[in-house]
Amino acid sequence: MNLKNRPALTLMAVLALVAAAATVYVSLDRQTDRHAEIEAKSRQVMPFDLESTTHRSAKSAFGGVQTVTSDDPQDTEEAARFTTGDYGDPASIHGGEMPGLNHLEQGHAELADPSLITALHAWFDAQVSDHGRHAEHG
């Protein structure tokens, strides 16, 4: 190694670390913006308070189970909508291009189909990602 180039190499390494840190910061900032956007939309659409619930998405080989635990046990409206293929509330919160959403709307009666299981898993991942601290894989 040429010692004359050492300061330049050190400077390049520091610049690379700064660039990497800035990229992580921008990524976290975008994620925080996305979480704030989802929280705001959720307050307008969800029939329950996001602050008093946790979305839990548990994948399985046969699809999975998503639960939202609420303090109000009478809150069954969303589950009833999903059984008929009505995913309008999640679409208005997460966007119509949410991974898995179209497949779930079209194939809600046949959720054992392997492509729908993949769609359901993608939908779970998008839910957990978008809801941040209000959601978890279970």
Side-chain angles (χ1 to χ4, degrees):
M1 175 184 205
N2 185 344
L3 293 179
K4 291 180 184 177
N5 292 333
R6 190 172 200 165
L9 291 174
T10 301
L11 178 60
M12 287 173 41
V14 168
L15 289 175
L17 286 173
V18 168
T23 300
V24 168
Y25 176 77
V26 168
S27 176
L28 290 174
D29 192 40
R30 284 185 190 145
Q31 190 173 19
T32 300
D33 289 347
R34 177 69 174 165
H35 291 163
E37 175 188 348
I38 294 300
E39 286 182 38
K41 288 179 178 180
S42 295
R43 282 190 291 278
Q44 296 170 358
V45 175
M46 290 184 179
F48 47 80
D49 180 9
L50 191 60
E51 288 297 326
S52 63
T53 61
T54 299
H55 287 69
R56 190 166 289 110
S57 300
K59 297 177 189 177
S60 76
F62 304 103
V65 175
Q66 183 178 63
T67 59
V68 177
T69 305
S70 176
D71 293 336
D72 182 1
Q74 301 301 314
D75 200 357
T76 60
E77 187 176 343
E78 288 298 297
R81 287 180 180 170
F82 290 174
T83 61
T84 64
D86 180 354
Y87 287 79
D89 285 352
S92 65
I93 295 169
H94 300 276
E97 299 301 315
M98 181 182 188
L101 184 62
N102 288 333
H103 283 93
L104 292 170
E105 288 174 332
Q106 295 170 7
H108 68 278
E110 300 181 27
L111 286 179
D113 181 287
S115 69
L116 289 174
I117 293 169
T118 301
L120 186 64
H121 289 178
W123 192 67
F124 282 175
D125 290 341
Q127 289 269 330
V128 170
S129 175
D130 277 354
H131 283 288
R133 66 185 174 88
H134 296 112
E136 61 190 33
H137 284 286

